[in-house]
Amino acid sequence: MVDAPPLGSETRPAYIIPRGDIMVVGGTYLEGDTTAFVTGEEKRTIKNNAKVLFPKLSESENYINTWVGFRPARGLGIRTDITMIEVGNAGESLPLFHNYGHGGSGWTTFVGAANTTIEMIKQYLKGVHRKSKL
């Protein structure tokens, strides 16, 4: 990923991400932009930047699709924590594990965020002593 001139910027980074047998090239990060399609100028810029970053792409014009992804983000960053939620009238509570707010970085951060959440669940389960209701 390049987020500095001449190829990219903070709001228009240039990146190539391998996903199986395809390559995802992009992109833009335009906060508040609700345009639901990729503009012609964006397509040209993304293709040109991708060819500079990965010259073999210039050998193929086999572009599968273009899309816009609206990714919710939090001003406070990613949230990975536990909230205990009261259920029923008996004062019982259950854990609600939070893992959201990744915004446009979801593909980059999902493994680490998932591992953090798994560790939270493991720690929670270590402290749980269930009583049999038989």
Side-chain angles (χ1 to χ4, degrees):
M1 181 172 105
V2 178
D3 60 0
L7 293 181
S9 70
E10 187 175 305
T11 58
R12 296 182 186 278
Y15 59 84
I16 299 175
I17 303 171
R19 283 193 185 169
D21 61 347
I22 65 169
M23 302 282 270
V24 176
V25 297
T28 61
Y29 173 75
L30 304 172
E31 195 170 318
D33 185 357
T34 58
T35 307
F37 59 89
V38 180
T39 68
E41 179 186 343
E42 289 169 333
K43 286 179 192 177
R44 283 187 297 279
T45 300
I46 290 168
K47 283 182 180 181
N48 289 336
N49 287 345
K51 288 175 183 178
V52 170
L53 291 172
F54 194 73
K56 285 194 171 207
L57 286 177
S58 63
E59 297 170 10
S60 170
E61 288 295 320
N62 188 14
Y63 295 95
I64 297 169
N65 200 354
T66 61
W67 71 89
V68 171
F70 296 110
R71 294 174 174 87
R74 300 177 69 227
L76 300 173
I78 298 170
R79 181 177 182 188
T80 53
D81 64 10
I82 305 170
T83 302
M84 297 304 292
I85 305 294
E86 285 191 38
V87 294
N89 295 326
E92 291 186 66
S93 59
L94 292 174
L96 173 61
F97 297 92
H98 300 277
N99 182 355
Y100 63 87
H102 304 82
S105 299
W107 184 255
T108 306
T109 62
F110 79 94
V111 172
N115 286 335
T116 298
T117 303
I118 289 167
E119 289 305 313
M120 285 190 305
I121 293 168
K122 285 179 181 177
Q123 290 302 312
Y124 172 79
L125 292 175
K126 279 183 182 178
V128 173
H129 302 287
R130 299 203 180 264
K131 296 178 187 173
S132 174
K133 296 191 178 190
L134 295 177

